[in-house]
Amino acid sequence: MTMNLAKKILAAHLVSGDMVKGAEIGIRIDQTLTQDATGTMSYLQFEAMGIPRVRTKLSVSYVDHNTLQTGFENADDHAFLQSIAAKYGIYFSRPGNGICHQVHLERFAVPGQTLLGSDSHTPTAGGMGMLAIGAGGLDVAVAMGGGPFYLNMPSVLNVRLRGRLKPWVSSKDIILEILRRLSVKGGVGWILEFSGEGVQSLTVPERATITNMGAELGATTSVFPSDELTREFLKAQGREGDWVPLAADPGADYDEVIEIDLDSLEPLAAMPHSPDNIALVKELAGTPIDQVAIGSCTNSSYIDLMRVARILKGHVVHPRVSLVVSPGSKQVLTMLASNGALADILASGARVLEPSCGPCIGMGQAPRSGGVSLRTFNRNFEGRSGTPNAKVYLVSPEVAAAGAIRGVITDPRELGDYPVISMPETFMADDSMIIPPASDPEGVEIVRGPNIKPLPLREPLSEDVTGKVLLRVGDNITTDHIMPAGAKILPLRSNIPAISEYVFSRVDPDFAKRARESGGGFVVGGHNYGQGSSREHAALAPMYLGVKAVLAKSFARIHRANLINFGILPLTFLDEADYDWISQGDQLEIQGVRRALENGEETLTVTDITASRSFLVKHGLTERQVGVMLAGGLLNYTRGGINVPV
Ligand code: MIC
Ligand code: SF4
């Protein structure tokens, strides 16, 4: 039987279920990664499982998000993460070593293996031919314990790349074009698999820009074949031994195919406030810019920043613009420093940050009020930059650099000759900032600062679920709406009671108070509820506030899984028109939920007591998920020893 590449990797890792579209399968996870903003919870959960050492081939804990230390909290979390890593057999990438996805691609990603990461941009490693999936921290904890990762068997979309990109058009424009065609919810339930002769002109980091931002489609993951360019990249990283050739079988089937003619692409931008709000850069030309931010796990590779350095060389940043550059890794920064490119970047007036997420997650560098910010990042959700009324455009490094010089959005093709950057034959690989696990784990004491609070747990599911509609929101609500990030709130990631005060704070500042006073209740949403990040705090903190169920038209994959993991019912309307009848403050009741789930019933009746009407919702839970829900969440369920083999 011929198989596409995604199916081959899934089949090689299958531990349960049949690979039938939509059915639940369990897969073995070879590698895991965590970052500091999701990692503390993930490791608290791992600790609670009582397993002495990780059972993966490789697990890495990165510190890259919470690097602004405005108080003791982040530094305390770093110390906790370092001690946990030493004790449980995990490699620890120290703050300053770089953004998890960039470093993982450079130093650890292996074609054909599976990677589960507590960050939605884990698919970055798909640029290397890995099957790399983002998940909540609890799912990653289970995988570290040797348990399978469960997902619904995705459909596979073949993206055929034809031709070659023209000068000044880059791989960022390819993924922006896909977002234009498919939208931020078009990838839910899909894996994107790239093929075609166009692949051969894209280096591994350029491929990784595309798989990285596949997350913005809501896709399960995205994957490229592993070919000669993959081998060259690995060789240049001193890891040729990790290379294996991988591709779909000739004539393999796909559920759908789209073609992209690379020659016809032009520089694109995602306009405020959604990654799928795409326009041609030339149509936006002339728009005044206040800030340009270059970096993030999407566009901070050596190739990206070398190109930026060449474009900036000999220019000074426009007086209106603040240019900030954050290299993706210590490797990238070191190479720029040693070949002189960093001097060109500095000479332009750029403000260079340490290799970390930085402005991408609102950790500093918030734009001025109402300011226009051009960013090479992957998300431009309203308020994510830290300035509620800023207007963020997502662009390629070429468009960003051109804008920084001119002070207005500029079609980079106006700049003349395109700087051709070739891949280095050898990268400056130095793993001295990656600390291996301790050789005497018993001797390691876990460091726990006062900001690290114990994990809250939910009670087993009650027979009837009742409460008020605490909030009713529209389509495409992001996890940044539900549980905002930024320099002020991120340091509370290991303190659920404190962070829960900020749930929905940008949408409705009274939400937390109302939820507490009402003893919890329901949230009602539109399509693609919970799109964006993998942060399980967007489920855990509402759970802490007593949210019992979310009724929505549809859910984003990772957030739905997180809701289930923390015992919140994700329910979808059988008839979407029922959404229109519900108002904030309505008293809802679902009787006999436990019994219905135990009896295998697929729909539940919701009574809106205030509106005097009833309607049907479906839960779509698999048998395993029903078990999780009845137990009051995955941690209660795994404590029964059901999920993780001991
Ligand atoms: C993001 O880009 O939104 C984050 C911050 O990396 C999140 C993880 C988090 O919230 O900690 C993600 O993408 O999953
Ligand atoms: Fe970090 Fe931004 Fe990438 Fe998230 S998207 S991992 S915040 S750089």
Side-chain angles (χ1 to χ4, degrees):
M1 201 180 96
T2 59
M3 272 208 255
N4 58 48
L5 175 55
K7 280 198 181 152
K8 276 192 201 182
I9 305 179
L10 285 172
H13 290 83
L14 193 69
V15 291
S16 68
D18 294 324
M19 289 177 34
V20 177
K21 208 190 293 182
E24 188 177 79
I25 57 169
I27 57 168
R28 186 168 33 80
I29 295 300
D30 298 317
Q31 298 189 353
T32 60
L33 72 76
T34 57
Q35 40 88 341
D36 49 332
T38 54
T40 46
M41 275 298 136
S42 185
Y43 293 114
L44 286 172
Q45 289 151 356
F46 180 77
E47 263 191 311
M49 288 173 193
I51 293 164
R53 214 168 163 81
V54 290
R55 294 177 175 153
T56 47
K57 286 186 178 148
L58 174 87
S59 289
V60 191
S61 169
Y62 293 92
V63 176
D64 54 1
H65 281 63
N66 286 349
T67 52
L68 211 60
Q69 290 157 225
T70 50
F72 61 90
E73 293 88 351
N74 292 343
D76 279 7
D77 284 359
H78 301 169
F80 168 75
L81 291 167
Q82 184 164 351
S83 60
I84 283 273
K87 194 172 187 74
Y88 291 106
I90 299 152
Y91 284 79
F92 181 71
S93 174
R94 300 176 64 185
N97 196 44
I99 305 174
C100 54
H101 309 302
Q102 175 66 26
V103 178
H104 210 81
L105 192 73
E106 292 167 358
R107 306 306 304 145
F108 297 114
V110 177
Q113 293 198 2
T114 52
L115 167 69
L116 194 72
S118 62
D119 192 281
S120 65
H121 291 104
T122 303
T124 311
M128 176 78 88
M130 255 195 135
L131 201 87
I133 303 177
L138 183 45
D139 283 335
V140 176
V142 169
M144 288 192 286
F149 174 64
Y150 294 98
L151 71 162
N152 292 339
M153 179 65 198
S155 306
V156 185
L157 171 69
N158 184 205
V159 185
R160 286 195 192 141
L161 304 180
R162 279 206 314 236
R164 215 186 161 90
L165 291 170
K166 292 232 169 72
W168 298 104
V169 184
S170 74
S171 62
K172 181 66 159 276
D173 300 308
I174 302 178
I175 187 63
L176 291 177
E177 168 64 13
I178 300 175
L179 275 153
R180 186 185 71 77
R181 293 198 201 175
L182 302 184
S183 88
V184 288
K185 56 180 196 290
V188 179
W190 290 84
I191 293 180
L192 273 69
E193 180 173 321
F194 290 82
S195 71
E197 97 261 6
V199 167
Q200 290 152 27
S201 59
L202 298 172
T203 62
V204 168
E206 287 166 331
R207 296 173 187 181
T209 293
I210 297 172
T211 57
N212 170 283
M213 239 185 131
E216 274 50 71
L217 300 158
T220 303
T221 189
S222 304
V223 65
F224 272 82
S226 166
D227 56 12
E228 276 308 312
L229 283 186
T230 320
R231 188 215 284 260
E232 274 169 33
F233 179 82
L234 280 168
K235 189 170 171 214
Q237 290 285 351
R239 303 203 285 126
E240 197 180 0
D242 286 340
W243 184 72
V244 284
L246 283 177
D249 292 329
D253 276 343
Y254 292 92
D255 297 290
E256 255 182 58
V257 180
I258 59 170
E259 296 210 344
I260 299 185
D261 183 5
L262 301 186
D263 296 276
S264 67
L265 287 185
E266 296 190 51
L268 297 173
M271 298 185 291
H273 296 287
S274 179
D276 62 358
N277 191 15
I278 307 294
L280 289 166
V281 168
K282 69 181 182 204
E283 289 168 0
L284 303 170
T287 309
I289 305 167
D290 303 283
Q291 183 191 54
V292 172
I294 297 176
S296 93
C297 54
T298 315
N299 277 125
S300 59
S301 68
Y302 171 81
I303 291 268
D304 284 331
L305 296 196
M306 279 305 293
R307 214 165 264 147
V308 166
R310 287 281 195 82
I311 298 170
L312 293 176
K313 192 177 167 86
H315 295 277
V316 172
V317 172
H318 188 277
R320 189 175 40 232
V321 177
S322 165
L323 169 65
V324 52
V325 178
S326 25
S329 66
K330 176 170 167 279
Q331 179 182 92
V332 171
L333 182 54
T334 309
M335 289 176 71
L336 298 178
S338 59
N339 71 11
L342 181 60
D344 295 331
I345 294 176
L346 290 170
S348 76
R351 303 164 68 181
V352 177
L353 302 181
E354 65 176 323
S356 66
C357 300
C360 178
I361 193 55
M363 264 287 165
Q365 302 291 331
R368 75 166 177 83
S369 295
V372 169
S373 178
L374 239 58
R375 299 179 161 212
T376 65
F377 307 168
N378 46 40
R379 291 187 173 141
N380 58 346
F381 304 143
E382 202 167 358
R384 182 175 157 105
S385 66
T387 303
N389 59 2
K391 298 180 208 63
V392 175
Y393 291 74
L394 305 175
V395 296
S396 67
E398 290 83 344
V399 174
I405 297 168
R406 297 268 179 101
V408 291
I409 297 184
T410 302
D411 188 328
R413 292 172 293 191
E414 287 175 17
L415 298 185
D417 289 342
Y418 187 51
V420 178
I421 312 291
S422 47
M423 284 293 273
E425 272 176 29
T426 315
F427 286 97
M428 295 173 76
D430 164 15
D431 293 333
S432 56
M433 290 289 279
I434 299 173
I435 303 179
S439 48
D440 64 328
E442 301 78 33
V444 178
E445 227 178 273
I446 304 301
V447 184
R448 257 175 256 272
N451 186 44
I452 300 177
K453 295 281 184 277
L455 265 173
L457 286 177
R458 169 144 278 186
E459 297 293 305
L461 183 68
S462 54
E463 188 53 41
D464 302 331
V465 173
T466 56
K468 279 204 172 122
V469 174
L470 300 168
L471 188 70
R472 181 174 172 276
V473 287
D475 290 346
N476 292 322
I477 285 298
T478 71
T479 54
D480 281 271
H481 289 105
I482 305 168
M483 187 71 262
K488 185 170 156 205
I489 305 176
L490 274 170
L492 305 174
R493 282 289 181 94
S494 24
N495 184 343
I496 299 301
I499 207 169
S500 68
E501 291 301 314
Y502 295 93
V503 172
F504 279 118
S505 55
R506 287 208 197 113
V507 177
D508 178 347
D510 294 331
F511 180 87
K513 186 164 161 268
R514 193 163 60 245
R516 265 198 321 272
E517 284 171 1
S518 316
F522 295 80
V523 171
V524 176
H527 277 296
N528 202 24
Y529 181 85
Q531 70 156 325
S533 83
S534 70
R535 67 190 69 146
E536 59 193 358
H537 300 74
L540 193 45
M543 180 271 263
Y544 183 79
L545 292 175
V547 172
K548 297 165 188 169
V550 178
L551 313 185
K553 293 182 185 170
S554 64
F555 288 91
R557 174 186 66 88
I558 308 180
H559 185 60
R560 180 174 180 276
N562 285 337
L563 289 174
I564 297 168
N565 282 352
F566 293 102
I568 299 179
L569 281 162
L571 304 172
T572 50
F573 297 99
L574 233 60
D575 178 358
E576 283 178 13
D578 288 322
Y579 166 92
D580 301 328
W581 288 87
I582 307 175
S583 310
Q584 190 172 308
D586 282 4
Q587 180 74 22
L588 303 188
E589 181 176 70
I590 318 176
Q591 283 186 351
V593 180
R594 254 199 106 80
R595 208 172 341 111
L597 291 187
E598 279 164 353
N599 293 342
E601 287 166 32
E602 286 173 6
T603 56
L604 301 167
T605 305
V606 183
T607 307
D608 186 331
I609 297 170
T610 316
S612 309
R613 62 188 300 276
S614 295
F615 57 92
L616 290 176
V617 290
K618 49 179 192 270
H619 57 75
L621 301 171
T622 64
E623 228 178 285
R624 184 190 61 84
Q625 288 169 333
V626 164
V628 170
M629 195 55 69
L630 292 173
L634 184 59
L635 214 53
N636 292 342
Y637 181 71
T638 50
R639 275 190 174 158
I642 304 165
N643 213 23
V644 181
V646 182

